[in-house]
Amino acid sequence: MSISHERMNIPETVAIIMDGNGRWAKKQGLPRTAGHKKGADQIRTIALEANRLHIKKLILYAFSTENWKRPEEEISYLCKLPGIFFSRFIKELMEKNIRVTFAGELERFPKDTQKVIRKAVDQTKGNTGLELCIAINYGSRREIILAIQEYTRQVVEQERANDLNEEDFSHYLFVPENVDLLIRTSGEERISNFLLWQIAYAELIFTQTAWPDFDEKALDECIQEYNRRDRRFGAVK
Ligand code: IPE
Ligand code: IPE
Ligand code: MG
């Protein structure tokens, strides 16, 4: 039976490191790109389930600043995926009131990839349900450097005082929210440069399930596990 948001403590901000597409494909004797294709379908499935559960923001790690090290053919396929994804699902995202945003530097992608992403953001900007944030050409260290550069510029140009606090700093980042729950699929237990600042007090779940097999039930199980955790934030309960 599926879980309900009325009976559960639902995390506001959930982040997922969508890992294991390549290994999933290899296991079935398919090229890595087949894993990425199935992985893109799972984005739809998980976004709809997150929306149903009233999660406020879902941040999905789709492409890291380190993923440029991959073979050119794989990168070029990944650049085509946003176009394929949004042409198939934009109508459904509108119907379900889901708002698309992104985190990362789009400028390094081909012009048409940038265009489809910006168009999806623009088309869905009035939606008030789930915020589906795609982290693309995203690296947390890069995000922090960019934030420091912008803050420093504002101080030097006397647009603001040199009085930064933690809350202020978060607004210089691509993702200002604290993450409540971070999930990584496919067995690796590492963060790989994702949301280093934002996960300070996140609950971490590492699951063996590969991203192409990560379905509604798998997300529901993670929410149930989250409900069993005791979050203390450094205090005594
Ligand atoms: C995650 O799957 C998707 C991206 C990083 C783009 P991988 O492509 O990393 O799959 P594995 O880890 O090699 O199985
Ligand atoms: C992290 O996965 C990045 C994304 C899921 C987009 P990787 O597969 O690139 O990470 P490592 O290399 O195993 O740490
Ligand atoms: Mg991987």
Side-chain angles (χ1 to χ4, degrees), residues 17-19 61-64 67 70 184 190 192:
I17 303 173
M18 307 185 288
D19 199 18
Y61 206 4
F63 194 94
S64 76
N67 287 148
R70 294 190 176 199
R184 182 169 186 146
R190 56 176 170 260
S192 303

Side-chain angles (χ1 to χ4, degrees), residues 18 20-25 31-43 62 70 73-75 77-78 81 211-212:
M18 307 185 288
N21 292 352
R23 278 164 285 168
W24 179 90
R32 291 179 60 84
T33 49
H36 295 316
K37 185 161 179 276
K38 178 69 169 45
D41 292 340
Q42 290 320 94
I43 293 182
R70 294 190 176 199
E73 322 178 353
E74 183 169 347
I75 292 174
Y77 184 78
L78 290 169
L81 268 186
W211 175 251

